[in-house]
Amino acid sequence: MEAPAAPHNPAETEASGSPAVPSAEITVISPEQMRDLGRRLAKLLRAGDLVMLNGELGAGKTTLTRGLGEGLGVRGAVTSPTFVIARVHPSLGDGPPLVHVDAYRLGGGLDEMEDLDLDVSLPESVIVVEWGEGKVEELTEDRLHVVIHRAVGDTTDEVRHVTVTGLGERWSAVDLSVLSA
């Protein structure tokens, strides 16, 4: 069972008077719950969205993306693209395709990823980049950061703490607390 996150009202402001950054904290205790979180997140996504996934090896980034693919209704099994760097999963319906990128083996920033043409794919796709921090932020100011924390060293512990943060105007009015449902 997932622990509910505190409700978030996008209209609220921080003490500084700046608009609050929409975010949600979710506790996940199994791979199936991680996939379910991905399916719920998919309901918030649309063409042009960039999702950056960060977390330790084995944290559940690909499992979350598998759920995203199910929720978006895309073709093909969503598996880790570590060795091919990127996979495109076309939509089985009228939704956007899913572009799944694993930037783990890429060292540089967006320049090194230029051959992937992510800037060309972004307007009509949902792009999910594992290990994308410091590499793809230049694609758009509007992006969703998903950080998955897990116990390090204890591989039997399935508990994950997921933080989802929306950046930019696209996410300013999105209530991410629905991910805790």
Side-chain angles (χ1 to χ4, degrees):
M1 183 85 188
E2 296 175 29
H8 171 72
N9 178 352
E12 292 176 358
T13 57
E14 297 174 355
S16 67
S18 304
V21 176
S23 66
E25 302 268 341
I26 304 107
T27 299
V28 176
I29 62 169
S30 70
E32 182 51 42
Q33 282 189 0
M34 187 66 79
R35 282 176 71 171
D36 187 53
L37 175 59
R39 288 188 288 269
R40 289 194 311 275
L41 180 57
K43 293 176 184 176
L44 301 177
L45 298 175
R46 63 184 187 209
D49 284 340
L50 172 65
V51 180
M52 294 174 40
L53 300 179
N54 291 290
E56 298 88 6
L57 284 171
K61 295 178 295 296
T62 299
T63 302
L64 178 74
T65 306
R66 191 168 295 125
L68 281 172
E70 292 167 6
L72 291 171
V74 299
R75 185 177 70 212
V78 175
T79 59
S80 177
T82 300
F83 297 104
V84 295
I85 309 299
R87 283 196 174 93
V88 178
H89 298 275
S91 176
L92 293 171
D94 59 357
L98 171 66
V99 178
H100 184 198
V101 179
D102 186 329
Y104 182 74
R105 296 185 310 131
L106 302 177
L110 193 56
D111 290 342
E112 188 172 341
M113 298 183 73
E114 195 167 291
D115 289 341
L116 299 177
D117 288 331
L118 295 180
D119 55 338
V120 174
S121 301
L122 184 60
E124 72 270 358
S125 305
V126 169
I127 297 182
V128 176
V129 182
E130 296 186 26
W131 305 97
E133 193 168 355
K135 298 174 183 168
V136 295
E137 289 90 341
E138 295 173 28
L139 281 174
T140 178
E141 291 180 10
D142 298 312
R143 58 189 177 271
L144 200 61
H145 283 231
V146 179
V147 180
I148 306 170
H149 298 280
R150 70 174 182 90
V152 179
D154 182 2
T155 58
T156 63
D157 185 2
E158 295 290 336
V159 175
R160 305 293 192 260
H161 300 284
V162 183
T163 303
V164 181
T165 306
L167 299 175
E169 187 176 331
R170 155 71 175 104
W171 294 102
S172 65
V174 176
D175 183 3
L176 295 176
S177 70
V178 299
L179 297 174
S180 301

